[in-house]
């Protein structure tokens, strides 16, 4: 049906619907696969009644085995090595169904794979038989070395597939961590922001006032211009505990990154306009000199 080069150097692709796989007790036999087909058809009818469609797959047949792939992503779902396939047949009562039995490399159980192909079930069965015959002849010619090489290649391919799966999982974890970090940054207060809190008062329950700038153009409540605030002396004033007063707006522009400095400037401008923050009103009316 196919040239030896097509099966040895490349592969023959087929499209089919995958009914699934089930464990069987024997590695071959018509009755064995018939029971498996009936079992999987019944399970598929139940899933179909629940609204689940039969998944479509792509089969790649070569002298190295039968690969079952997702037709869109080309992700390998099953890789059945040819020397592990012990039985292959198409259903004579249902021309769409074909099956093969393969020994699982990990559990050593015999699994029967069942497929639904509307037009080429018999052709796929014959192609697997041709690939098996060609692989067996190559095995005899090479004295078994070719099979050992294929086993090593298959083992490496399986390991590569496992590493790709682990890599995908790690990428998903990293993406989740980045999303969580982005959400945390959105809800966290910006760096340099002022945390609203109740202002400290003196013994007379008065809020201490510290002018932001030496001069303020904000008019008083009676409409007159306030007297100029005397400039600060070069000597740093300290409170009765010896601590220096803190003024967040006395820092130079170069002390903060541009984004933080712009937020500080915006806050300072808001304070000058009488910004209200969580019930605390910041007012720049001058204090009575007698206080």
């Amino acid at each position: 049906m196919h040239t030896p080069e097509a099966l040895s150097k490349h592969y023959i692709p087929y499209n089919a619907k995958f009914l699934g796989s089930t464990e069987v007790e024997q590695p071959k036999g018509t009755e064995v696969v018939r029971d498996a087909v009936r079992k999987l058809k019944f399970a598929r009818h139940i899933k179909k009644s629940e609204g689940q469609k039969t998944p479509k797959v792509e089969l790649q047949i070569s002298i190295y085995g039968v690969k079952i792939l997702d037709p869109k992503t080309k992700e390998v779902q099953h890789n059945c090595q040819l020397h592990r396939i012990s039985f292959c047949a198409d259903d004579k009562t249902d021309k769409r169904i074909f099956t093969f039995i393969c020994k699982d490399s990990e559990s050593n159980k015999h699994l029967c794979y069942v497929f639904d192909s509307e037009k080429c079930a018999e052709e796929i069965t014959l192609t697997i038989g041709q690939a098996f015959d060609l692989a067996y002849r190559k095995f005899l010619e090479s004295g078994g070395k070719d099979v050992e090489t294929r086993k090593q290649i298959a083992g490496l391919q399986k390991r590569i597939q496992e590493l790709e799966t682990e890599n995908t999982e790690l990428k998903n974890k990293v993406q989740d961590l980045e999303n969580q970090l982005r959400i945390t940054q959105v809800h966290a207060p910006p760096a340099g922001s002022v945390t609203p809190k109740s202002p400290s008062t003196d013994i007379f329950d008065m809020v201490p006032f510290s002018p932001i700038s030496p001069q303020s153009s904000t008019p008083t409540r009676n409409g007159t211009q306030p007297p100029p605030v005397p400039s600060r002396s070069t000597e740093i004033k300290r409170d009765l505990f010896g601590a220096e007063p803190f003024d967040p707006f006395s820092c130079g522009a170069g002390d903060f990154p541009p984004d933080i400095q712009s937020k500080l400037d915006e806050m300072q401008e808001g304070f000058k306009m009488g910004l209200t923050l969580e019930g605390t009103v910041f007012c720049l009316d001058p204090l009575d000199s007698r206080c």
Side-chain angles (χ1 to χ4, degrees):
M1 293 178 57
H2 306 283
T3 61
E5 290 77 12
L7 287 168
S8 60
K9 296 182 180 180
H10 304 282
Y11 57 85
I12 307 299
Y14 291 100
N15 292 322
K17 293 182 179 179
F18 186 32
L19 273 67
S21 62
T22 182
E23 182 183 356
V24 292
E25 296 180 357
Q26 301 295 329
K28 59 182 62 180
T30 304
E31 291 298 326
V32 174
V33 296
R34 282 180 182 176
D35 292 340
V37 170
R38 283 195 292 265
K39 180 179 178 181
L40 291 174
K41 275 187 174 181
F42 180 74
R44 182 52 56 185
H45 281 308
I46 295 178
K47 292 182 179 180
K48 189 174 182 180
S49 64
E50 296 175 350
Q52 299 184 22
K53 296 182 179 180
T54 305
K56 296 181 179 180
V57 295
E58 177 183 333
L59 300 176
Q60 295 181 356
I61 303 174
S62 67
I63 62 172
Y64 300 105
V66 179
K67 289 184 179 181
I68 306 172
L69 303 90
D70 185 287
K72 294 182 179 180
T73 63
K74 302 300 180 181
E75 180 182 358
V76 179
Q77 299 176 353
H78 303 278
N79 187 9
C80 303
Q81 301 175 25
L82 203 63
H83 66 277
R84 292 184 174 272
I85 297 178
S86 57
F87 189 77
C88 181
D90 56 284
D91 194 340
K92 302 304 179 184
T93 61
D94 189 346
K95 297 296 183 180
R96 302 176 306 171
I97 302 297
F98 73 95
T99 66
F100 65 82
I101 299 176
C102 180
K103 188 176 183 180
D104 185 67
S105 59
E106 295 182 357
S107 62
N108 286 329
K109 296 179 180 180
H110 295 284
L111 302 178
C112 182
Y113 294 81
V114 181
F115 303 87
D116 184 344
S117 178
E118 296 181 358
K119 299 180 180 179
C120 50
E122 184 178 3
E123 181 182 341
I124 295 174
T125 303
L126 294 175
T127 302
I128 295 177
Q130 183 183 0
F132 190 89
D133 181 65
L134 182 61
Y136 182 68
R137 280 187 289 169
K138 284 184 171 293
F139 167 74
L140 295 178
E141 293 173 0
S142 63
K145 295 180 180 179
D146 189 53
V147 173
E148 294 298 327
T149 302
R150 290 206 302 272
K151 286 183 180 180
Q152 295 178 2
I153 294 175
L156 292 175
Q157 290 176 344
K158 182 179 179 181
R159 181 56 181 163
I160 291 174
Q161 184 178 352
E162 292 175 351
L163 292 175
E164 289 178 349
T165 304
E166 293 178 2
N167 188 30
T168 303
E169 294 176 354
L170 290 175
K171 285 183 179 179
N172 293 334
K173 290 181 180 180
V174 171
Q175 185 65 35
D176 293 340
L177 291 175
E178 290 179 352
N179 294 335
Q180 294 177 5
L181 180 60
R182 192 177 295 109
I183 293 174
T184 304
Q185 291 176 347
V186 169
H187 292 286
S193 62
V194 178
T195 303
K197 59 181 180 179
S198 301
S200 59
T201 57
D202 55 15
I203 58 176
F204 301 104
D205 199 24
M206 299 291 292
V207 178
F209 175 77
S210 176
I212 295 175
S213 57
Q215 294 183 353
S216 176
S217 59
T218 305
T220 58
R221 289 189 176 89
N222 55 11
T224 60
Q225 193 72 15
V229 180
S231 59
R232 300 179 180 178
S233 62
T234 56
E235 182 182 357
I236 299 177
K237 297 181 179 180
R238 301 178 182 271
D239 56 16
L240 61 95
F241 298 102
E244 298 179 5
F246 174 72
D247 186 357
F249 306 109
S250 62
C251 301
D255 296 340
F256 298 99
D259 54 341
I260 298 178
Q261 185 63 43
S262 63
K263 292 180 180 179
L264 289 175
D265 295 338
E266 182 180 358
M267 291 171 59
Q268 183 178 7
E269 187 65 23
F271 291 154
K272 288 181 179 180
M273 298 173 62
L275 178 68
T276 301
L277 181 62
E278 293 187 2
T280 303
V281 179
F282 295 86
C283 182
L284 292 184
D285 289 343
L287 294 176
D288 192 340
S289 58
R290 293 173 295 177
C291 295

